[in-house]
Amino acid sequence: MTFQEQIQQGIPSQLPQPKPYESGINHAPKRKEILSEEEKKLALRNALRYFEPKFHAELLTEFKAELETYGRIYMYRFRPDYEMTARPITDYPGKSEQAKAIMLMIQNNLDYAVAQHPHELITYGGNGAVFQNWAQYLLTMKYLSEMSDEQTLVMYSGHPMGLFPSHKDAPRVVVTNGMMIPNYSKPDDWEKFNALGVSQYGQMTAGSYMYIGPQGIVHGTTITVLNAFRKINKPTGGGLFVTSGLGGMSGAQPKAGNIAGCITVCAEVNPKITKIRHEQKWIDEIHEDLESLVARVKNAKENNETVSLAYLGNVVDVWETFDREDITVDIGSDQTSLHNPWAGGYYPVGISFEEANVMMAENPELFKAKVQESLRRHAAAINRHTDKGTYFFDYGNAFLLEASRAGADIMAENGIDFRYPSYVQDIMGPMCFDYGFGPFRWVCTSGDPADLQNTDDIAARILDELMHHSPAEIQQQMADNIKWIKGAQENKLVVGSQARILYADAEGRMKIAEAFNKAIKEGQIGPVVLGRDHHDVSGTDSPYRETSNIYDGSRFTADMAIQNVIGDSFRGATWVSIHNGGGVGWGEVINGGFGMLLDGSDDADRRLKSMLFWDVNNGISRRSWARNEGAVFAIKRAMEMEPNLKVTLPNFVDDRLL
């Protein structure tokens, strides 16, 4: 069968042969056993409903074994034989160009070069899934190959509920992931309902089909590192940045450090992912013993090098050793997946990677105790460094939250706040989000690198033009992004699809998108998919990350994220998504995303102007109402540009009255 025929087939009418478990692939860890005997039967019934009864006896044995061995039913047998990669949009079968674009993006999320655990359909973060099982993937791709522009595909946590009649301006796909009743959003609830096959953790761009590999966070991390060094008034040359995590998005850190121009030490316990990042040239060197690492860091400091060093081992050992050796750490953070601390997101010190994986599944209570013990040591070592002058920030991975829950010395004197700020509180919030700058991204659906070069050139030209009349308040953001986009090609950031990201405000996003659509219409480039990270001005309500610099008490509300996805859906998005859980944990955040296909049409031009303006200014207006001064400035400017925008502005109270 051809690739197109396999897509159109969906779930095959004859059972494919079982597939061997490929040990060379980076697999998800075994999930802990959490289901009762009756619930295990329910999980099997739920899995078998995808298949005709004549196959149930054979599949039952197989799915039962998967549930017992891995803690989940992935349906490995149904993994497609074709290469999992984003093909040119013309290679996909179907009636709708928008649907073909979504198929391309789904396959990009599952590309072996992009996905963290591709056989388990997990893109990043240890549990950020595109689908729960391979039957869902097959059905979804079949539906997309059949749908017209008068239908909408409804996705319930990876399950394609079906195609429903709609209209051409409606989203082609609406995605929800993990939208639990609030009282059922504890970490063990995810374990249970995911094991039952009725919910999943979509992370942010994993379940939104909008992940573009580590590049998606390289830019944001570069901006963060640059501004962290600016904050301590120190040049990046010869400066030391210490952090951990080389998995999904955290793998971007060493590359960002190189672009920023500092020395980066990034610890990682997983040898497979460390090797992959080295092969991808996201890290320069791997060190497996602390003595070698210490000597290399001292040498790099003496020579003002720009270099990224991976330490294959636990970051707690790095912080403690650097303290004993009196190595000055200028800035520090952490990007292990602490939103997922008990299932592979964070590994305890003093235990091998293999031993920890066994303990995680077979003795979860001991594993949890070991993780919390490590967090206490981790925090204590960081405290000793900050006493010497290190600037430490929480990188939104729930490090401070989980360390506090473990009893670490991480609280401020008032006993309410954390000792260290979130990077959003200190850097990204006041410097970027309040002014409307966030992670705008696009994918060239032709798969042609020449199209990516053309879009880079268009974006650089537009930003240059906009900078000439930009107010002083946003000159730095404009300059950083112009420098970024002009150097994007030389940094070889493409993994998977031909994609790019830059931080832009509403005006920049609309102008760039409009120029792309014109270039498509004139035949200069092929169709382009627009999107963004959920980690943005308006898409995410996350009290310990994206909205941590909201101080009016509303940071624990989720109105903004819900309004965002509703507003995007009727203003022209090609697909929309809303998720429970993200980079900081199940039950800790609500986040929404979108995708939009530009095809050179007048319809696309109309949609992009309507949707992109709302997508950014929804968040600025909320930040303005919270009395964030940068956002007040930005929303006033937006109202001057668009007469139909009328936003309620806050009045400021004289503190002396209170």
Side-chain angles (χ1 to χ4, degrees):
M1 295 175 73
T2 66
F3 166 71
Q4 293 198 351
E5 287 170 340
Q6 289 184 72
I7 292 289
Q8 291 169 314
Q9 172 187 233
I11 296 174
S13 56
Q14 298 299 318
L15 287 184
Q17 289 299 308
K19 287 185 168 57
Y21 186 84
E22 295 183 25
S23 58
I25 297 296
N26 192 36
H27 287 283
K30 180 183 177 182
R31 308 302 185 183
K32 69 179 181 181
E33 188 167 323
I34 198 167
L35 300 182
S36 68
E37 289 305 309
E38 283 305 307
E39 287 169 337
K40 288 177 184 176
K41 292 178 184 176
L42 180 57
L44 290 165
R45 285 193 190 95
N46 289 344
L48 291 170
R49 60 184 159 178
Y50 287 101
F51 307 97
E52 294 180 40
K54 64 182 179 181
F55 300 128
H56 285 185
E58 182 175 351
L59 291 177
L60 178 64
T61 303
E62 190 172 309
F63 291 169
K64 179 175 181 289
E66 285 189 14
L67 188 60
E68 290 172 348
T69 306
Y70 311 115
R72 297 292 186 272
I73 301 171
Y74 296 114
M75 307 180 185
Y76 289 121
R77 177 197 291 253
F78 294 93
R79 190 165 47 80
D81 295 322
Y82 51 74
E83 183 183 3
M84 190 62 69
T85 189
R87 294 158 172 76
I89 194 169
T90 51
D91 286 5
Y92 292 92
K95 308 168 189 174
S96 165
E97 287 298 299
Q98 295 179 56
K100 292 179 184 180
I102 297 167
M103 284 191 272
L104 183 159
M105 296 301 294
I106 287 172
Q107 291 203 305
N108 186 64
N109 265 24
L110 295 171
D111 188 316
Y112 283 24
V114 174
Q116 185 181 16
H117 305 307
H119 286 191
E120 290 76 36
L121 302 117
I122 289 171
T123 301
Y124 66 89
N127 55 7
V130 189
F131 301 99
Q132 296 178 62
N133 57 58
W134 285 103
Q136 292 177 346
Y137 166 85
L138 295 173
L139 263 182
T140 299
M141 297 295 277
K142 175 179 169 63
Y143 277 134
L144 289 168
S145 74
E146 295 172 347
M147 76 185 305
S148 74
D149 286 340
E150 300 287 330
Q151 291 173 301
T152 293
L153 176 60
V154 176
M155 301 293 301
Y156 278 39
S157 283
H159 169 67
M161 190 61 72
L163 292 171
F164 290 79
S166 59
H167 56 85
K168 71 183 182 80
D169 282 334
R172 295 283 69 79
V173 179
V174 176
V175 178
T176 55
N177 279 304
M179 298 305 292
M180 303 297 295
I181 303 301
N183 276 350
Y184 300 89
S185 275
K186 297 180 290 297
D188 272 358
D189 290 325
W190 171 72
E191 294 280 1
K192 176 179 176 179
F193 292 107
N194 190 225
L196 284 173
V198 296
S199 192
Q200 75 172 10
Y201 199 102
Q203 265 281 353
M204 290 181 144
T205 50
S208 293
Y209 324 143
M210 190 45 72
Y211 191 59
I212 58 170
Q215 180 192 173
I217 196 176
V218 169
H219 178 249
T221 305
T222 302
I223 297 295
T224 301
V225 171
L226 283 172
N227 282 314
F229 276 101
R230 285 170 183 154
K231 195 166 184 66
I232 61 174
N233 296 313
K234 183 166 184 177
T236 56
L240 177 59
F241 171 38
V242 172
T243 186
S244 62
L246 284 172
M249 293 199 298
S250 57
Q253 295 176 106
K255 186 73 168 177
N258 279 5
I259 296 170
C262 65
I263 303 161
T264 304
V265 171
C266 190
E268 171 59 58
V269 296
N270 185 335
K272 282 183 184 175
I273 199 64
T274 304
K275 181 173 179 285
I276 288 169
R277 293 297 180 230
H278 189 243
E279 289 171 350
Q280 291 175 337
K281 303 190 186 305
W282 292 81
I283 52 176
D284 297 323
E285 301 171 17
I286 298 174
H287 292 262
E288 297 191 28
D289 70 88
L290 290 163
E291 187 178 342
S292 160
L293 180 67
V294 166
R296 184 67 183 92
V297 169
K298 287 180 177 178
N299 182 261
K301 277 176 162 283
E302 287 171 10
N303 294 299
N304 269 6
E305 284 186 64
T306 295
V307 66
S308 54
L309 312 172
Y311 172 63
L312 183 54
N314 199 288
V315 72
V316 177
D317 289 325
V318 174
W319 281 107
E320 291 178 343
T321 300
F322 283 10
D323 175 43
R324 288 194 301 271
E325 295 288 333
D326 207 25
I327 291 176
T328 299
V329 178
D330 297 290
I331 64 172
S333 193
D334 184 85
Q335 211 175 37
T336 51
S337 297
L338 268 161
H339 67 278
N340 181 31
W342 325 126
Y346 182 94
Y347 281 77
V349 66
I351 302 173
S352 73
F353 179 62
E354 294 75 17
E355 185 183 356
N357 280 328
V358 172
M359 185 188 296
M360 186 191 311
E362 296 182 1
N363 195 343
E365 290 307 312
L366 179 59
F367 182 79
K368 180 176 180 179
K370 292 288 186 184
V371 165
Q372 292 191 318
E373 178 188 335
S374 289
L375 284 168
R376 291 191 291 272
R377 277 178 59 181
H378 195 161
I382 288 166
N383 291 344
R384 292 195 292 274
H385 280 274
T386 58
D387 287 343
K388 301 176 188 177
T390 298
Y391 171 61
F392 183 85
F393 56 89
D394 185 297
Y395 207 177
N397 66 328
F399 170 73
L400 294 179
L401 182 63
E402 287 303 331
S404 71
R405 289 169 175 170
D409 180 14
I410 212 75
M411 303 306 293
E413 288 184 8
N414 63 13
I416 299 171
D417 300 315
F418 295 126
R419 177 183 292 204
Y420 304 111
S422 153
Y423 75 115
V424 173
Q425 287 176 291
D426 249 18
I427 299 169
M428 301 307 286
M431 295 180 180
C432 294
F433 291 169
D434 284 354
Y435 289 100
F437 282 83
F440 180 55
R441 60 179 57 168
W442 64 89
V443 177
C444 298
T445 67
S446 65
D448 186 349
D451 275 9
L452 186 60
Q453 179 67 69
N454 280 336
T455 57
D456 284 347
D457 293 342
I458 291 169
R461 173 176 57 81
I462 295 295
L463 292 180
D464 269 329
E465 292 170 0
L466 290 174
M467 189 169 176
H468 288 309
H469 67 263
S470 294
E473 287 85 350
I474 61 172
Q475 286 286 324
Q476 183 68 67
Q477 292 93 321
M478 297 295 289
D480 283 346
N481 282 286
I482 290 168
K483 180 181 178 182
W484 163 269
I485 197 66
K486 287 183 175 178
Q489 294 277 335
E490 66 190 56
N491 287 314
K492 296 181 170 43
L493 296 165
V494 170
V495 177
S497 58
Q498 294 294 314
R500 187 67 72 224
I501 185 172
L502 60 79
Y503 268 45
D505 61 5
E507 183 182 23
R509 299 183 204 202
M510 288 189 293
K511 294 284 188 185
I512 291 169
E514 190 177 14
F516 287 172
N517 202 51
K518 184 173 183 289
I520 296 164
K521 186 174 186 176
E522 294 173 354
Q524 298 172 26
I525 57 174
V528 171
V529 168
L530 301 181
R532 58 161 168 75
D533 196 348
H534 297 202
H535 171 67
D536 197 9
V537 181
S538 165
T540 294
D541 280 300
S542 180
Y544 298 107
R545 194 163 81 178
E546 283 79 3
T547 45
S548 60
N549 71 319
I550 301 290
Y551 301 110
D552 68 347
S554 70
R555 67 190 177 116
F556 295 96
T557 66
D559 299 87
M560 180 177 72
I562 299 298
Q563 290 282 358
N564 181 256
V565 75
I566 293 170
D568 283 356
S569 68
F570 67 73
R571 286 180 173 88
T574 303
W575 72 96
V576 293
S577 59
I578 189 77
H579 301 173
N580 167 24
V584 297
W586 180 265
E588 304 283 0
V589 52
I590 299 294
N591 61 88
F594 78 87
M596 172 179 276
L597 178 67
L598 300 181
D599 58 7
S601 66
D602 291 342
D603 273 346
D605 192 66
R606 169 177 56 83
R607 290 173 186 146
L608 74 87
K609 290 170 184 171
S610 174
M611 201 218 75
L612 293 176
F613 185 83
W614 155 259
D615 191 67
V616 175
N617 282 296
N618 168 48
I620 297 177
S621 64
R622 185 270 179 93
R623 293 168 187 277
S624 165
W625 186 239
R627 296 182 293 273
N628 292 17
E629 291 188 9
V632 173
F633 166 86
I635 204 66
K636 285 180 178 178
R637 185 165 174 256
M639 285 191 282
E640 289 171 5
M641 294 167 60
E642 172 52 73
N644 284 333
L645 178 66
K646 298 183 188 299
V647 171
T648 308
L649 295 174
N651 292 295
F652 287 75
V653 180
D654 187 334
D655 284 347
R656 290 172 297 182
L657 290 175
L658 299 172

